Amino acid sequence: MTQITGEETVDVFGPDSMLRRLVNDARWGLAVSRATVLEAAHPQIGTALIENSTFVTYPWRRLRNTLVSMQRILDLDHHVRDREIARLNRLHARISGTDPQGRGYDAMDAAARAWVVATLFESTVTMYRLSGESLSGPALEQLYAEFRAFLVLLEGNSDQLPATSREFWPYYDDMIDHHLENTEAVRVILYRLFANVPAPPLLRNHPAVWAAGRAVAGPVAAAITIASLPESFCRRVALPDLPGTRAIMHGAYLTAGFATRLLPNSWVRVDSIMSLLDPDHTSGSGPWGTVRRKADQAAAMLRLLTPAPDKVNHTTRSADQFFAEVLDQTGDGYLAWPDLAAMAREIATRLDLDEQDEERLYNAHAAWWRELQAGLDTDGDGRVTRQEYAASAVSLPSLGLVKVADVLFDVTDIDDDQAIDVQEYQRLFRTAFHRDLTGRADSYSRSAFVRQFLSFMSGQQHSTAYDSLLS
């Protein structure tokens, strides 16, 4: 995104961009979490989140994808930016519907998308203020100009946002006072997501440790988020004002601010934090990567000293278990098109597919959904219950699933040599190459790839690779 000043062409997302620095600052997570609640209170956005998003069932996946997308949009290479914006717009163009009150929603609605950008800007300003770094006039104007430029990338214009930061605040207050609601998405984020967030990949093998930490951290995180929200918003949606929470919230923001200013930059970058939480996010370099490796070594030593429990056969899943862990991507208890669309969306995002390959992938998933709906939706309500799936899934022909497997192989096989090599495998699964599944030492044949995909998607066999992708 460029602005022309006199005879100079200035890239607002160049090396001096505030937004580019923020997207790599772990502290910005506080602002993004806060903004997400305000976004979810918008009726259109809230309904789209509940009906189409996997943010409740797979929050770490959603966090990682959001981070990658933001980094692409703010990349210094304009081709990378343009490609990601086109991908996001294609993704959003597929999300529309009607809420329980009969009101339509559309992820491409210009006013709703402007509100997303507005909440990020206001929450960022609030983050600086609560961290003890109130923005000066020029810095505030620069930040606002960059967020408006961000909206231009998405929409082609910034008409839905006021021209200056001074004019922004009346717009923001009007949205808070007259347009937001206590949506289901707001309640889910504050009272279900924080309380039930699944363990990050690093801690999935330590459920007791995660559960103990979450029991304390979940309510505290929700309380901090609520205490940071505008008082008028909290009154409007009837959020509680618990004694002491504002002091805890101020302490959390100030601590984050001090950490950002005092610790080495490599310690507080988002990539460093994500590498600590998610071993597949990076190669594990940096200070927190070292900490993680030491923790892994300690855990391995503990396992050697602890009697091993009786082994359980995890090679197969029951239909009921497979439904809950893999198929129900949105976590609403049903299988419907948004669940399969979420699978296609995750694969397309990981592989950064172009429009043609992305369309092939969505069409294959749509054909699979039509097959599932025709064979399993016994009451004709447009969705499949867990009971309907468990009763009839094994009898399906699964021709649609075979098509999905073929297309997935094609879009993963970048060099079209009819084999998935180590780099292509890593790009899709973000995990090590499993040579024992290939029949060859250096590649993965189409038949082996399709065979394992069908075994996993039919619930017949666990797969570390496909679990990391879809469950």
Side-chain angles (χ1 to χ4, degrees):
M1 177 64 196
T2 58
Q3 291 182 341
I4 299 177
T5 305
E7 296 182 355
E8 297 183 16
T9 300
V10 180
D11 185 352
V12 298
F13 296 137
D16 296 327
S17 165
M18 294 177 68
L19 197 48
R20 289 189 75 244
R21 292 197 299 272
L22 280 167
V23 80
N24 291 309
D25 185 346
R27 175 182 48 159
W28 201 42
L30 291 168
V32 173
S33 297
R34 179 181 182 277
T36 300
V37 176
L38 294 170
E39 294 166 19
H42 189 289
Q44 287 208 52
I45 300 171
T47 305
L49 284 173
I50 288 296
E51 295 193 355
N52 297 273
S53 178
T54 63
F55 78 102
V56 174
T57 44
Y58 305 106
W60 298 108
R61 188 173 82 185
R62 172 69 183 271
L63 175 63
R64 179 173 59 188
N65 288 346
T66 299
L67 169 62
V68 170
S69 182
M70 287 292 294
Q71 290 174 336
R72 288 173 180 171
I73 292 173
L74 299 173
D75 197 282
L76 290 173
D77 187 335
H78 289 256
H79 296 293
V80 174
R81 293 185 200 173
D82 293 343
R83 182 182 177 89
E84 180 62 13
I85 289 296
R87 188 191 69 81
L88 278 181
N89 284 336
R90 292 196 304 270
L91 182 158
H92 289 144
R94 292 186 170 95
I95 299 176
S96 60
T98 305
D99 71 9
Q101 286 74 44
R103 299 174 299 185
Y105 69 86
D106 186 342
M108 291 295 288
D109 180 79
R113 300 179 96 188
W115 177 241
V116 172
V117 176
T119 62
L120 285 170
F121 167 71
E122 188 275 340
S123 292
T124 301
V125 173
T126 299
M127 178 201 76
Y128 276 116
R129 175 174 55 81
L130 294 175
S131 301
E133 295 182 72
S134 294
L135 296 176
S136 64
L140 182 67
E141 290 302 327
Q142 177 185 343
L143 184 65
Y144 186 64
E146 289 187 21
F147 272 105
R148 290 187 82 237
F150 184 80
L151 182 59
V152 171
L153 287 176
L154 291 173
E155 282 289 305
N157 63 72
S158 57
D159 296 346
Q160 294 290 333
L161 283 181
T164 66
S165 64
R166 183 183 297 273
E167 298 170 287
F168 170 82
W169 300 108
Y171 153 81
Y172 178 80
D173 291 339
D174 178 70
M175 288 293 298
I176 293 287
D177 293 339
H178 300 106
H179 299 279
L180 303 188
E181 300 176 4
N182 187 5
T183 64
E184 181 184 357
V186 169
R187 298 189 295 272
V188 165
I189 292 170
L190 294 176
Y191 303 120
R192 179 180 164 191
L193 179 59
F194 284 126
N196 299 298
V197 62
L202 180 64
L203 295 176
R204 279 183 191 147
N205 294 325
H206 308 282
V209 174
W210 177 251
R214 183 180 60 189
V216 175
V220 171
I224 289 172
T225 302
I226 292 173
S228 72
L229 293 167
E231 292 185 22
S232 57
F233 173 77
C234 291
R235 288 194 301 270
R236 180 172 177 80
V237 300
L239 295 178
D241 184 8
L242 300 177
T245 55
R246 291 191 178 276
I248 296 174
M249 178 269 294
H250 282 289
Y253 273 87
L254 286 173
T255 299
F258 286 137
T260 299
R261 292 189 290 274
L262 299 178
L263 292 177
N265 183 57
S266 61
W267 286 48
V268 293
R269 284 179 58 87
V270 168
D271 283 342
S272 297
I273 302 298
M274 287 298 294
S275 71
L276 175 64
L277 293 173
D278 185 352
D280 294 333
H281 181 71
T282 67
S283 61
S285 59
W288 291 117
T290 303
V291 171
R292 194 191 73 229
R293 287 192 295 273
K294 294 296 184 182
D296 289 344
Q297 292 170 5
M301 180 63 69
L302 182 62
R303 287 194 295 272
L304 289 175
L305 299 175
T306 304
D310 292 337
K311 290 186 177 181
V312 178
N313 185 354
H314 289 297
T315 58
T316 62
R317 282 183 172 104
S318 68
D320 189 73
Q321 183 184 15
F322 181 75
F323 184 99
E325 294 180 359
V326 179
L327 294 179
D328 184 15
Q329 292 277 308
T330 59
D332 63 356
Y334 298 93
L335 172 61
W337 167 241
D339 298 297
L340 271 62
M343 294 182 192
R345 186 164 64 241
E346 172 62 18
I347 295 167
T349 299
R350 286 202 180 197
L351 297 179
D352 190 22
L353 298 181
D354 59 26
E355 185 173 3
Q356 182 177 359
D357 283 341
E358 184 182 281
E359 192 68 22
R360 287 185 65 205
L361 188 66
Y362 271 91
N363 288 341
H365 279 80
W368 180 32
W369 166 239
R370 288 192 295 270
E371 179 185 277
L372 288 170
Q373 191 176 20
L376 303 180
D377 183 16
T378 55
D379 57 7
D381 65 351
R383 57 187 184 179
V384 176
T385 66
R386 188 176 303 191
Q387 293 74 21
E388 288 172 331
Y389 178 81
S392 306
V394 294
S395 63
L396 283 180
S398 295
L399 297 178
L401 193 56
V402 172
K403 178 63 175 177
V404 171
D406 272 328
V407 173
L408 179 57
F409 181 91
D410 290 341
V411 298
T412 305
D413 180 22
I414 301 174
D415 54 12
D416 292 326
D417 66 350
Q418 295 303 301
I420 304 299
D421 61 28
V422 175
Q423 290 74 28
E424 291 166 339
Y425 189 96
Q426 176 73 30
R427 183 167 173 255
L428 176 63
F429 294 117
R430 296 187 180 131
T431 191
F433 191 63
H434 290 247
R435 289 180 295 177
D436 57 315
L437 301 173
T438 68
R440 292 173 58 188
D442 59 352
S443 66
Y444 203 175
S445 68
R446 178 184 290 271
S447 61
F449 185 94
V450 171
R451 184 168 59 250
Q452 197 208 358
F453 178 80
L454 295 178
S455 294
F456 175 80
M457 293 305 296
S458 62
Q460 296 176 19
Q461 186 174 10
H462 276 274
S463 163
T464 300
Y466 282 106
D467 270 329
S468 72
L469 178 64
L470 297 173
S471 66

